[in-house]
Amino acid sequence: MGSKSVINFLKQCIKRCSETSGHDRALGACRVVSGTPGACTMSLKVEEEHCNGMGTLHGGFSAHLVDSITTFALMTNDDAHPGVSVNMNLDYIKAAKLGEEIVIKASTVKKGKTLAFLSCEIQNAEGQILVKGAHTKFIGFGN
C-alpha cells in the first residue's frame, strides 16, 4: 500500500467509525496527519466527551485511542487483519487538558504469523509524551 492509499484507507476508517452508533463514534473526531505502511499518526482536539470529571483526557479514552489507532496502523500492512487484542499496556505520564490538541503516533513493531506487536505514543503539541502504549494482537486466523 503506497503512502497516498494508506492515508485514504485511514480516512475511510475514521469515517466508518464516525458513522457507528457505538463507542467507536468518538474516533470520528480524529484527523489523519500521516500514514505509511505499518504506521500512522492522528490528531485530536480534546473535547468534553473525551474528559474525566477533572477536565483532563480520560484514561479509558486514552486506552481506546491506543487500541484503535494501533489497529489502524496494523491494518496498513500488506495482508493485514485487524486481529483480536491479547494484551495492552499503558503508561500514563502526563494529563491532556480540555481543548488541548494531541497527536497519536502508532506503529507496527513486528508482525509475525500469529502475533502482532504494536506501539503508540500520545503526545501534546509540544511533543511531550502523555501516554505510552504497547498492544499485542492475535492475527493467526487460519494458521
Side-chain angles (χ1 to χ4, degrees), residues 20-71:
T20 67
S21 59
H23 192 65
D24 284 342
R25 179 181 287 201
L27 296 172
C30 290
R31 289 180 306 284
V32 177
V33 174
S34 65
T36 57
C40 65
T41 301
M42 307 270 182
S43 67
L44 171 81
K45 182 177 178 185
V46 178
E47 301 289 352
E48 194 171 326
E49 60 267 20
H50 308 134
C51 289
N52 57 28
M54 309 257 298
T56 61
L57 184 65
H58 193 288
F61 190 71
S62 296
H64 183 57
L65 289 171
V66 170
D67 183 7
S68 299
I69 307 305
T70 56
T71 299

Side-chain angles (χ1 to χ4, degrees), residues 95-111:
K97 295 178 178 70
L98 178 65
E100 192 171 357
E101 189 78 21
I102 60 172
V103 176
I104 308 102
K105 297 180 177 185
S107 64
T108 306
V109 176
K110 182 178 191 263
K111 181 176 163 263

Side-chain angles (χ1 to χ4, degrees), residues 2-15:
S3 184
K4 187 174 181 177
S5 59
V6 168
I7 290 171
N8 287 336
F9 170 76
L10 293 168
K11 286 179 179 179
Q12 289 174 358
C13 290
I14 295 300
K15 184 176 186 297

